[in-house]
Amino acid sequence: MFRSKNTIIAVCMCFIILSCKDELMISFSEINITTSNNSIVEINIPKADGNTTIANQINFEIRKTITAALHFDNPDTITSESIEESITAFNEEYNTFKANFPQNETGWEVQIDGDLMYQSPEVISIAISSYINTGGAHGALNIRILNFDPKTGETIENTALFNNIETFNTLAQKYFKDATKDKDIFLDENSFEFPANIGYSEEGLVILYNPYEIGPYSTGIIQFTIPFDDINSLLVFQGS
């Protein structure tokens, strides 16, 4: 009888483990993307593996975001069909610049990194950070957060993360004021800017504003985290 009980427990544990694996059908590895003639673009991003359909959809969105970053000066007229083509185009543009302005010794550089912020059976959050310098007074830093449905690989719009946008705005504004109390930012209570970048982390919900989004470049990136204990009641996909 004792052995029978142990067998039942063991079988149940196997089902639980297999169930958890089935829930997390996607895993991630880090890859470096470059080309043979590339010397100024460095790209390190997560690559989704596992269920082919889901992984392909996630990887497509990540690559689309990076291609847009490499065409930051004119993202609406992108002709490149891959990151590699965009890297080549960026290098060619730099070589043309050097040929036209040989006296200018300023180098160009691109650094793009991806980070898996959070993964659960309900939501995956990935941050894509890009720094691009084409010889100006300062480089352009931008962070884009992508949220994915792990069951389909489709992106989740920010507004679809909440069951009550108005209450979220009220709560986020309190955290925003605390995060910016030492910065030169004035925010009217009736004109709170809904953030373009929201994502999950192990600590809570991350809210991020890029430079120029709500203040001068000197303000830099404004980022704060709302703990899950304070915001889970407002989230469609609760964090832990």
Side-chain angles (χ1 to χ4, degrees):
M1 186 68 176
F2 179 73
R3 181 178 299 176
S4 177
K5 285 184 178 180
N6 282 348
T7 302
I8 293 173
I9 292 173
V11 170
C12 289
M13 288 300 295
C14 286
F15 275 118
I16 292 172
I17 292 171
L18 290 173
S19 176
C20 291
K21 287 184 177 179
D22 287 340
E23 286 181 339
L24 296 176
M25 294 182 287
I26 296 297
S27 60
F28 290 90
S29 57
E30 183 176 292
I31 61 171
N32 173 269
I33 301 177
T34 188
T35 61
S36 58
N37 297 318
N38 171 46
S39 60
I40 56 176
V41 178
E42 178 74 20
I43 298 177
N44 299 289
I45 57 171
K47 176 181 177 292
D49 301 295
N51 180 287
T52 303
T53 302
I54 299 172
N56 286 347
Q57 181 62 35
I58 292 174
N59 291 329
F60 171 77
E61 292 295 338
I62 292 174
R63 286 176 171 267
K64 185 171 71 173
T65 299
I66 293 168
T67 300
L70 286 168
H71 294 267
F72 70 101
D73 56 339
N74 204 353
D76 295 327
T77 58
I78 298 173
T79 57
S80 301
E81 296 183 358
S82 68
I83 294 176
E84 290 79 5
E85 282 188 28
S86 297
I87 292 174
T88 298
F90 193 89
N91 277 268
E92 289 175 350
E93 188 176 352
Y94 173 57
N95 291 332
T96 300
F97 174 81
K98 283 200 305 179
N100 292 335
F101 304 96
Q103 72 281 6
N104 191 317
E105 298 180 356
T106 304
W108 290 15
E109 64 173 318
V110 175
Q111 180 70 47
I112 299 179
D113 296 294
D115 178 48
L116 177 62
M117 299 170 58
Y118 185 86
Q119 182 177 11
S120 77
E122 292 188 306
V123 64
I124 294 171
S125 293
I126 292 175
I128 306 293
S129 172
S130 63
Y131 174 80
I132 300 178
N133 192 336
T134 55
H138 52 70
L141 175 62
N142 185 274
I143 297 175
R144 175 81 187 278
I145 297 177
L146 302 172
N147 296 301
F148 295 97
D149 182 340
K151 299 178 182 64
T152 64
E154 299 288 339
T155 54
I156 304 172
E157 296 297 325
N158 286 346
T159 53
L161 297 174
F162 305 99
N163 55 44
N164 191 317
I165 293 292
E166 291 75 17
T167 305
F168 162 72
N169 282 342
T170 301
L171 177 63
Q173 188 167 341
K174 294 178 181 177
Y175 278 88
F176 179 92
K177 287 181 177 179
D178 186 60
T180 60
K181 60 185 177 183
D182 298 326
K183 298 181 182 292
D184 187 21
I185 293 178
F186 173 76
L187 182 68
D188 186 274
E189 292 187 0
N190 298 318
S191 60
F192 178 73
E193 293 288 339
F194 188 81
N197 288 287
I198 302 173
Y200 286 66
S201 74
E202 295 300 327
E203 291 72 34
L205 196 72
V206 175
I207 312 298
L208 186 146
Y209 296 89
N210 281 296
Y212 292 125
E213 196 171 341
I214 53 174
Y217 183 85
S218 58
T219 302
I221 289 175
I222 296 173
Q223 177 180 329
F224 56 90
T225 302
I226 305 177
F228 286 128
D229 287 345
D230 291 348
I231 201 169
N232 258 342
S233 62
L234 307 178
L235 296 176
V236 174
F237 315 105
Q238 295 192 353
S240 59

